Amino acid sequence: MCVARMTAVSICVLGAGVVGMTTALELRAQMPSAMTTVIADKFREATTSDGAAGIFRPGSNFSGETPEITKKWIHDSYTYYNDLYSSDHAELAGVDQVSGFMFSNISEDIVRNHLLEGLVPTYRAASEEELHIYPGGWKHGSFFTTLVTDCRKFLPWAMYRFQESGGTIQNKTVKNLMELTKEFDFVVNCSGLGARQLCSDKKMVPIRGQVLKVQAPWMKMALYAENDTYIIPSSSSVTVGGCRQYDSYDLSVSPHDSAAIKERAYRLLPALRSAPVDREWVGLRPHRSVVRVEPEVCRSPAGTLKVVHNYGHGGYGVTSAPGTARYAVKLLKELHSAGVGNSKL
Ligand SMILES: Cc1cc2nc3c(=O)[nH]c(=O)nc-3n(C[C@H](O)[C@H](O)[C@H](O)COP(=O)(O)OP(=O)(O)OC[C@H]3O[C@@H](n4cnc5c(N)ncnc54)[C@H](O)[C@@H]3O)c2cc1C
Ligand SMILES: *[C@@H]1O[C@H](CO)[C@@H](O)[C@H](O)[C@H]1NC(C)=O
Ligand SMILES: *[C@@H]1O[C@H](CO)[C@@H](O)[C@H](O)[C@H]1NC(C)=O
Ligand SMILES: *[C@@H]1O[C@H](CO)[C@@H](O)[C@H](O)[C@H]1NC(C)=O
Ligand SMILES: *[C@@H]1O[C@H](CO)[C@@H](O)[C@H](O)[C@H]1NC(C)=O
Ligand SMILES: CC(=O)N[C@H]1CO[C@H](CO)[C@@H](O)[C@@H]1O
């Protein structure tokens, strides 16, 4: 056995959004003797993760390979955030509890959420009285309590924790995953929409979203209604949205979208009219019909690279990142043990 002469395994996490940073922290926790480096060309405010409302709420069509895997990701994610929420890191990491309503006039089914029911502390049908708290004459509603994570705080916290635990961060653009072969044994590809170019993955599609960040510290409830209307408080601001524009790459703020967002949100919560708007923001949700978390062994003249992909979280990356991170690390460990006995590992 040459185990004693083995050099430390070196792992690159590509991407510093919520998916990359939760993966990097999971690697430090589960593989403390590996050398782990996060490489990205955008950090903190420059990422898509930064502007997300951050509410823990998977959409009905959020999907992994199988319903069981999807359920496990969501369950593991909730446990992760709930543990943080119950710890003395809650404030620094920007994790808070929030309750709210979801309203619809179309059907009862729209206001239900099978992935949240039974997981969060409360998810029930709204009472007749509750349907009339907010204007709109809503026919269907649900009341829920969940968690909300403010990435403005979470990403800096995660970067700090990662470095404190011995991880390294590098700022650079990767043109081809294979260029990482020289330096790393493994890559976890958390490049979000970047995977469209990097992996020529045509299944990756942007779903453009625009939001307003407003000052309304009095607003404690999260509200959802039809036509992508939402008002979600988190620790640093209230996010008011939104829109979902499939296959749009336009990162500029559209005054037309702003006006439509305000009109719908003010109708749902008239008091919001007086809330000062801090900023307007556009993000491209890295959508893939099935979120890709899977291993791949890539060979080229430059060498062999073991990759675990972890991208395509769409509009639910904050919700699902810790769960997919855990799954990606499990896959990486399996690749690693399968490789023991190979020349390099
Ligand atoms: C308006 C809006 C509201 C949202 N609200 C919510 C919400 O309430 N709840 C929720 O769960 N989700 C929400 N989301 C979705 C969430 O923002 C995304 O799912 C999440 O941010 C995806 O994270 P990510 O780490 O995959 O991508 P990103 O944050 O985009 O990070 C990608 C990283 O990869 C790096 N990268 C990519 N390519 C390369 C390369 N070639 N070389 C080097 N680095 C590279 C980038 O620099 C970056 O660091 C919302 C999204 C939008 C747009
Ligand atoms: C996901 O669901 C939304 C409505 O909730 C729908 O508009 C969208 O087309 C769906 N996307 C996919 C890929 O199924
Ligand atoms: C919902 O339906 C009710 C009854 O038909 C109607 O009065 C109300 O205006 C509708 N609300 C919305 C927001 O469309
Ligand atoms: C990363 O590098 C680029 C180009 O050198 C620079 O413009 C950017 O400010 C750097 N970002 C960070 C967070 O250091
Ligand atoms: C949503 O949009 C549709 C189509 O534009 C419209 O008929 C409906 O009234 C809108 N619903 C709400 C609650 O604004
Ligand atoms: C190294 C690399 O980019 N590997 C793959 C990423 O995923 C696509 C499929 O979506 C492959 O074609 C690439 O070879």
Side-chain angles (χ1 to χ4, degrees):
M1 293 276 285
C2 55
V3 170
R5 297 193 55 84
M6 255 169 46
T7 50
V9 173
S10 61
I11 305 173
C12 167
V13 175
L14 180 62
V18 68
V19 175
M21 289 318 303
T22 51
T23 301
L25 286 177
E26 190 68 21
L27 282 167
R28 291 307 301 147
Q30 287 201 41
M31 299 179 72
S33 63
M35 312 242 301
T36 303
T37 306
V38 169
I39 296 183
D41 55 8
K42 294 197 177 95
F43 296 90
R44 292 176 288 255
E45 318 80 63
T47 65
T48 310
S49 304
D50 177 71
I55 196 161
F56 189 93
R57 185 189 165 276
S60 53
N61 55 16
F62 173 79
S63 174
E65 226 20 82
T66 65
E68 292 69 37
I69 287 175
T70 312
K71 205 170 169 193
K72 174 135 178 67
W73 289 349
I74 298 302
H75 181 273
D76 289 350
S77 278
Y78 189 78
T79 305
Y80 175 90
Y81 288 121
N82 203 36
D83 287 351
L84 256 185
Y85 176 64
S86 317
S87 80
D88 56 355
H89 286 275
E91 176 147 11
L92 267 175
V95 183
D96 243 316
Q97 198 173 56
V98 71
S99 292
F101 291 102
M102 178 156 192
F103 298 120
S104 168
N105 248 12
I106 300 167
S107 85
E108 186 65 38
D109 201 47
I110 288 178
V111 300
R112 296 194 60 174
N113 190 308
H114 299 288
L115 286 165
L116 285 188
E117 290 172 20
L119 179 62
V120 297
T122 314
Y123 203 110
R124 58 165 175 79
S127 67
E128 201 51 43
E129 292 75 32
E130 286 169 336
L131 287 175
H132 296 107
I133 296 177
Y134 298 96
W138 298 102
K139 285 189 220 150
H140 311 285
S142 58
F143 175 80
F144 55 82
T145 299
T146 186
L147 297 167
V148 61
T149 300
D150 186 347
C151 277
R152 272 271 135 132
K153 290 188 174 172
F154 183 81
L155 290 180
W157 172 84
M159 286 172 72
Y160 177 80
R161 293 273 291 177
F162 175 66
Q163 287 175 299
E164 187 191 44
S165 75
T168 310
I169 298 182
Q170 276 181 35
N171 171 11
K172 76 171 185 208
T173 302
V174 171
K175 299 216 164 53
N176 184 318
L177 286 181
M178 293 315 285
E179 75 191 51
L180 299 167
T181 309
K182 264 187 247 109
E183 238 185 302
F184 300 100
D185 304 309
F186 295 92
V187 172
V188 190
N189 175 13
C190 308
S191 58
L193 198 58
R196 191 179 156 90
Q197 273 87 44
L198 212 51
C199 307
S200 340
D201 186 344
K202 298 299 179 242
K203 286 190 186 143
M204 284 301 297
V205 181
I207 300 182
R208 180 183 178 279
Q210 182 168 321
V211 291
L212 317 171
K213 300 279 177 175
V214 309
Q215 280 172 43
W218 44 267
M219 184 55 185
K220 305 293 186 199
M221 297 292 268
L223 299 179
Y224 271 95
E226 273 156 28
N227 298 347
D228 294 309
T229 307
Y230 50 86
I231 300 164
I232 298 171
S234 73
S235 64
S236 65
S237 62
V238 175
T239 303
V240 179
C243 58
R244 299 175 62 82
Q245 294 155 2
Y246 196 81
D247 210 16
S248 165
Y249 285 90
D250 185 1
L251 275 168
S252 58
V253 170
S254 148
H256 175 264
D257 288 341
S258 284
I261 290 165
K262 284 180 180 163
E263 197 206 312
R264 283 182 275 125
Y266 294 166
R267 212 184 305 147
L268 181 61
L269 185 66
L272 213 55
R273 280 178 193 283
S274 61
V277 176
D278 277 342
R279 62 193 170 104
E280 296 178 76
W281 180 81
V282 172
L284 306 180
R285 301 173 180 92
H287 175 75
R288 196 172 186 275
S289 49
V290 175
V291 182
R292 185 176 194 205
V293 189
E294 66 183 13
E296 183 184 16
V297 178
C298 307
R299 292 170 217 282
S300 83
T304 299
L305 188 66
K306 299 182 175 184
V307 179
V308 177
H309 296 289
N310 186 9
Y311 63 80
H313 299 62
Y316 313 105
V318 181
T319 302
S320 57
T324 61
R326 215 171 143 185
Y327 190 70
V329 170
K330 174 177 168 273
L331 296 177
L332 191 147
K333 284 168 118 179
E334 285 168 10
L335 267 184
H336 183 214
S337 37
V340 172
N342 281 2
S343 54
K344 177 129 196 204
L345 294 175

